[in-house]
Amino acid sequence: MSGAPPAQAVIDAIVAVKPALRPGDVHPDASLTRDLGLDSLDLVQLAARITAAYPDFELRAWLTEAMASEVDSVHSMARMLEPVP
């Protein structure tokens, strides 16, 4: 996952957590919970995988943003992994 663009890193991590999903099933606007079926344990496992490659990723910050905007998409998580200019 390291070195992959953030969106691809999130997709790879999702597929690792939910092996029933294939990379082609995971689209940038897909909701992690509604569309892809991740539950709270899956989200923790996903965060652990992403944090391994992106140590600055904070699940709590993403969850706060996702709850406020009601958007828990692949893209919203990938955006949190992009370097701040």
Side-chain angles (χ1 to χ4, degrees):
M1 179 169 22
S2 186
Q8 188 61 51
V10 172
I11 291 169
D12 292 346
I14 290 169
V15 171
V17 168
K18 281 284 216 198
L21 295 171
R22 294 176 311 208
D25 298 331
V26 183
H27 302 283
D29 293 327
S31 164
L32 299 179
T33 54
R34 288 183 304 276
D35 299 330
L36 302 177
L38 275 71
D39 61 22
S40 58
L41 180 57
D42 295 329
L43 289 174
V44 170
Q45 291 174 344
L46 176 62
R49 288 180 175 277
I50 290 179
T51 303
Y54 294 88
D56 294 334
F57 175 71
E58 293 182 32
L59 177 62
R60 197 168 294 204
W62 176 78
L63 286 171
T64 300
E65 180 182 309
M67 288 172 49
S69 66
E70 296 184 11
V71 176
D72 69 342
S73 68
V74 172
H75 176 72
S76 72
M77 185 173 274
R79 219 178 45 245
M80 298 281 293
L81 304 179
E82 294 173 352
V84 178

